[in-house]
Amino acid sequence: PFDSRSPPPAAAHAQPTHSLAAMKFVVAAILAAAGVTGKLLRQTPTEVELDMEHREKDSFGNTALEPACAKVECGEYSCPAPFELKVDGTCCGYCWAPDHLVAADRHRVVEYNATGFVVEQCDDAPSTCKGPGANVVRCFKPSCREGETASCGGGRCCPLCQAR
């Protein structure tokens, strides 16, 4: 039994030595990590300069960004008639004319074999020639020289001109 008038036993004041060593190790590890982290977060003068050049706001909170076209240098150019120079939201402008003054290319895709030059794939064509889907190989009639004929073989998708 413990008497309140007498000092506590010596074992009550003693700390285990292994917990003290563990605490010292943890403190040393934290300090070492802080030193390494501090070195990793430091920027080189070049990095600081790039950060300043590409920052979004200055120290007062005002925008530090320049307009998109501020550093664009437009060359000299002129627009031949009937074109005219238009500058509508672009950096340098462009030459423009209405469709009724300059014919626009209104190219349309022709129907399959509208020209009549599409031919069937070779009978022994590999399966890769047949698709899948829109990737089917389309063969056209070869224009062979005199003494040559279109023939298949050799694992080709389409006929090829060869000497007879």
Side-chain angles (χ1 to χ4, degrees):
F2 180 69
D3 183 8
S4 61
R5 290 177 287 172
S6 63
H13 285 299
Q15 293 182 354
T17 56
H18 66 278
S19 67
L20 187 59
M23 189 168 32
K24 286 181 181 178
F25 175 76
V26 169
V27 170
I30 290 172
L31 291 174
V36 169
T37 305
K39 288 182 182 177
L40 292 176
L41 294 179
R42 289 190 190 138
Q43 293 181 324
T44 66
T46 305
E47 290 172 326
V48 172
E49 186 179 325
L50 285 172
D51 283 347
M52 293 300 289
E53 184 180 337
H54 298 290
R55 67 182 179 203
E56 184 179 339
K57 295 183 179 181
D58 64 14
S59 59
F60 299 105
N62 300 319
T63 183
L65 300 176
E66 295 179 6
C69 299
K71 294 184 179 178
V72 174
E73 295 181 21
C74 302
E76 292 183 29
Y77 56 92
S78 62
C79 298
F83 292 96
E84 58 188 51
L85 179 63
K86 282 223 172 197
V87 184
D88 52 359
T90 62
C91 293
C92 297
Y94 56 94
C95 296
W96 178 86
D99 284 349
H100 72 277
L101 294 178
V102 177
D105 181 11
R106 304 284 185 219
H107 177 78
R108 292 194 177 108
V109 176
V110 295
E111 289 185 35
Y112 176 75
N113 203 16
T115 60
F117 289 109
V118 175
V119 295
E120 294 295 321
Q121 292 182 356
C122 295
D123 292 333
D124 60 342
S127 62
T128 55
C129 302
K130 310 234 184 290
N135 296 325
V136 175
V137 173
R138 188 174 290 177
C139 298
F140 295 91
K141 179 181 176 184
S143 180
C144 298
R145 293 182 288 197
E146 202 171 312
E148 293 180 337
T149 58
S151 61
C152 291
R156 290 190 295 266
C157 295
C158 303
L160 185 69
C161 293
Q162 292 181 328
R164 294 183 206 185

